[in-house]
Amino acid sequence: MISGGATDGDSGRARKAHGRRLESLGVDLAPKSDPTISFGPEDLKGIMAPHNDALLVTLTVANYDVARIFVDTGSSVNILFKKTLDQMKVEGFEYDPISTPLFGFTGHAVQTIGQIMLPLSLGTGPHRITKMSCFTVVDAPSSYNGILGRPALADFRAVSSTYHQKLKYPSGSHVGVVCGDHKSSRRCYVDEVKVELKRSRTEVGMIETQKRIISRNEAQLISEEEPEMVEIGAQQHVRVAADLDPETKNDLLACLKANPDVFAWSPQELQGVSPAIMEHCLNILPEARPVKQKKRYFGPEEDKIIKEQVDELLRAGHIREVFVPTWLSNVVLVPKSSGKWRMCVDFRNLNKACPKDCYPLPRIDQLVDSTAGNQYLCLMDAYQGYHQIPLAEEDQEKVSFITSEGTFCYVVMPFGLKNAGATYQRLMDKVFSAQVGRNVEIYVDDILVKSKGSTDLIKDLCETFATLRSHGPPRVRIITSFGSTTSARLEGGTRDTPDSETGSAHSR
């Protein structure tokens, strides 16, 4: 039983629509002048009985005589195997893509190459009939060259009999006959069993190999030691892998302790970027009309959460109070993975009025490939990086938002703006222009320091810290560092403070 493919449509919606059209017709489409097709004792001449062989016939496809075509009334499509099509060297025909895979009776899905329309001829002599038939091309091993399914049988109005080893079809007022190949049917059956047996053994072997790989990886993960907390300053800790060799660990801690000025542990310690280095501008379209959203009301608990986060932003100097804003947006509360809430601003109206900044972001697959051959990778990300880029003074009141405590506007680039990511990527590419591709890779606020060995790790980290210090860009946190052969892990830790947005130590 073969189902799927593009029979009666290449999607569920198309197939339902086809069924509704047939129901609405409700007429008998069979021509009244068709001759009667029957099978009798005379059709058993030359047949070795008893037998239960499949019906294999030779048909003409695109002017090629193709043997070993399996007549299968259980197949929803006509199939032509790729190896057969390659041997035919058919030219001038194109594949049409198919999104629906084929399914066997076991439920396994087989992706197809596509479908192709080819002329198909049944019979010989005066009773020969040729019609354009749709074949689904499959790249799979098989002892058959093709499968004649229900679409072709219905198109030719053909009737098959495996017992009589014949395929009959109406040809005008006569009945055409295609005889089956009795001997080829038995040979192909034996070969097909061998092919399927070999395929099943290969699949079982692949599954067992995958299980062994997964088990080995799980064993490695289980055996990995938990990172230990190491103090680098007053109530300031980082997590370092316990299996890191002592010499590398000491050099690493010495590097971190030698750069205390590049670490931040709270929003109040952030210095931000000089406007001369980078400044975010909205570039609102001249024809855009300002929108003031109607205030949304929250419950007492939500208002308390919003007030706490607004007060924190005020203490950090990221927002200021505004009295007559031209644009006004509401705040929304979004749940974090930790179970707490993050206050965001609904800038949808403002974003519609801003043209898109087409500054390109790096391709993730290329960044991953660029780390090949490095023993240590140190991943850092910016601590509230967007808030460290100043917002153009003339655009500050346009990013105003309203709460129960009043109206405020950002003086730094807030999260949620249309082009914030492009502005940040432009900043990071500018700051790390001398290191990107050599020992650093950047993706927005993520910084990846890659090193060939333990000596290079310390040197690359020191160079990165020096770059951060010289430009005064966003502070970043050291999240993790690991190697292909040696597992070294660094994680920033927090002081004994309530929930931190980053939950880690941060370096500028």
Side-chain angles (χ1 to χ4, degrees):
M1 182 68 182
I2 300 176
S3 58
T7 302
D8 301 334
D10 198 19
S11 66
R13 178 179 296 180
R15 284 186 282 272
K16 290 180 182 178
H18 179 77
R20 289 194 294 269
R21 285 195 299 270
L22 292 181
E23 292 176 359
S24 63
L25 292 175
V27 295
D28 185 8
L29 300 179
K32 303 302 181 181
S33 59
D34 274 0
T36 301
I37 296 178
S38 61
F39 296 90
E42 66 277 4
D43 293 313
L44 291 174
K45 185 177 180 180
I47 303 298
M48 295 177 289
H51 73 89
N52 58 357
D53 298 327
L55 177 58
L56 264 64
V57 296
T58 298
L59 303 178
T60 303
V61 182
N63 295 325
Y64 285 89
D65 290 336
V66 182
R68 300 199 310 275
I69 293 182
F70 175 36
V71 179
D72 184 9
T73 58
S75 177
S76 63
V77 292
N78 306 316
I79 294 177
L80 201 60
F81 292 98
K82 186 176 182 300
K83 63 179 180 61
T84 304
L85 198 60
D86 291 341
Q87 293 175 2
M88 293 168 60
K89 299 180 180 179
V90 176
E91 297 180 356
F93 298 91
E94 296 182 355
Y95 291 115
D96 292 327
I98 300 177
S99 59
T100 306
L102 297 180
F103 300 92
F105 77 94
T106 59
H108 291 158
V110 176
Q111 293 297 335
T112 64
I113 298 176
Q115 61 183 14
I116 185 172
M117 295 292 295
L118 296 174
L120 173 65
S121 300
L122 268 64
T124 58
H127 302 317
R128 182 186 181 94
I129 293 181
T130 301
K131 293 185 178 182
M132 294 299 293
S133 298
C134 182
F135 288 89
T136 299
V137 182
V138 178
D139 187 7
S142 176
S143 60
Y144 306 120
N145 289 323
I147 296 177
L148 196 69
R150 296 196 304 269
L153 294 175
D155 196 22
F156 284 92
R157 303 195 296 278
V159 180
S160 63
S161 172
T162 55
Y163 178 70
H164 296 90
Q165 285 288 296
K166 284 183 174 60
L167 178 68
K168 294 187 178 183
Y169 57 93
S171 176
S173 59
H174 298 83
V175 175
V177 180
V178 179
C179 296
D181 191 341
H182 216 9
K183 296 180 180 180
S184 294
S185 177
R186 295 184 178 180
R187 288 197 304 268
C188 286
Y189 174 76
V190 175
D191 294 340
E192 189 70 16
V193 171
K194 291 180 180 179
V195 169
E196 293 296 333
L197 184 60
K198 183 178 179 180
R199 182 189 304 172
S200 63
R201 288 175 177 173
T202 302
E203 291 178 354
V204 170
M206 293 176 62
I207 294 174
E208 292 298 327
T209 302
Q210 291 175 356
K211 287 182 178 179
R212 287 195 295 269
I213 293 174
I214 293 174
S215 300
R216 184 165 61 250
N217 292 341
E218 289 178 348
Q220 291 176 354
L221 291 174
I222 293 172
S223 63
E224 183 179 350
E225 298 184 35
E226 289 294 326
E228 58 178 322
M229 296 291 293
V230 179
E231 185 175 1
I232 63 171
Q235 296 182 344
Q236 298 174 351
H237 301 79
V238 294
R239 294 185 179 93
V240 179
D243 58 351
L244 188 64
D245 64 274
E247 183 178 356
T248 303
K249 179 179 177 181
N250 292 334
D251 293 342
L252 181 60
L253 294 178
C255 175
L256 298 178
K257 292 178 180 179
N259 295 274
D261 58 315
V262 298
F263 286 90
W265 303 86
S266 67
Q268 289 74 23
E269 298 180 28
L270 300 179
Q271 297 178 0
V273 178
S274 170
I277 299 177
M278 187 60 62
E279 184 180 62
H280 185 72
C281 299
L282 296 180
N283 299 314
I284 293 179
L285 298 172
E287 64 273 15
R289 298 180 60 182
V291 177
K292 291 185 178 180
Q293 297 179 3
K294 185 178 179 181
K295 184 184 181 304
R296 299 174 188 167
Y297 290 92
F298 298 90
E301 295 183 0
E302 289 84 358
D303 276 335
K304 182 180 178 182
I305 296 172
I306 294 172
K307 182 180 184 304
E308 291 175 352
Q309 299 196 25
V310 167
D311 291 343
E312 184 177 352
L313 291 171
L314 284 170
R315 288 192 298 270
H318 295 162
I319 63 174
R320 62 177 173 85
E321 192 172 9
V322 65
F323 300 100
V324 189
T326 55
W327 293 76
L328 191 62
S329 303
N330 275 289
V331 298
V332 291
L333 288 177
V334 179
K336 298 195 294 186
S337 57
S338 61
K340 299 189 177 182
W341 295 89
R342 176 184 288 112
M343 186 191 76
C344 302
V345 182
D346 183 4
F347 285 130
R348 284 180 293 182
N349 297 117
L350 183 62
N351 287 336
K352 290 178 182 179
C354 298
K356 180 176 176 58
D357 185 349
C358 296
Y359 190 84
L361 295 179
R363 292 181 56 180
I364 296 296
D365 55 343
Q366 291 181 346
L367 294 182
V368 174
D369 292 343
S370 67
T371 63
N374 292 279
Q375 184 180 7
Y376 291 93
L377 304 177
C378 184
L379 179 64
M380 300 179 283
D381 69 9
Y383 178 29
Q384 298 187 10
Y386 285 14
H387 289 170
Q388 297 190 57
I389 297 181
L391 186 64
E393 187 174 355
E394 63 272 15
D395 291 330
Q396 291 179 4
E397 293 191 0
K398 297 172 185 175
V399 291
S400 299
F401 60 93
I402 184 170
T403 71
S404 299
E405 303 297 318
T407 54
F408 306 87
C409 72
Y410 278 92
V411 298
V412 296
M413 183 175 69
F415 293 85
L417 285 184
K418 185 176 185 178
N419 298 316
T423 297
Y424 202 89
Q425 184 68 47
R426 184 182 285 107
L427 166 68
M428 301 303 277
D429 289 343
K430 180 179 180 180
V431 170
F432 290 97
S433 59
Q435 291 183 252
V436 170
R438 177 169 54 87
N439 59 1
V440 165
E441 300 294 343
I442 303 290
Y443 188 86
V444 192
D445 61 343
D446 291 318
I447 306 171
L448 181 67
V449 180
K450 53 186 182 181
S451 306
K452 298 293 184 182
S454 57
T455 304
D456 294 326
L457 171 64
I458 306 304
K459 182 177 66 175
D460 294 336
L461 282 177
C462 290
E463 182 182 0
T464 304
F465 291 155
T467 301
L468 292 168
R469 185 183 293 109
S470 63
H471 288 82
R475 300 183 177 224
V476 295
R477 59 174 176 171
I478 302 178
I479 298 179
T480 179
S481 175
F482 56 92
S484 57
T485 55
T486 304
S487 176
R489 183 165 306 209
L490 296 173
E491 285 193 16
T494 60
R495 289 185 292 189
D496 297 331
T497 58
D499 174 66
S500 167
E501 184 68 16
T502 58
S504 306
H506 308 281
S507 87
R508 182 170 54 213

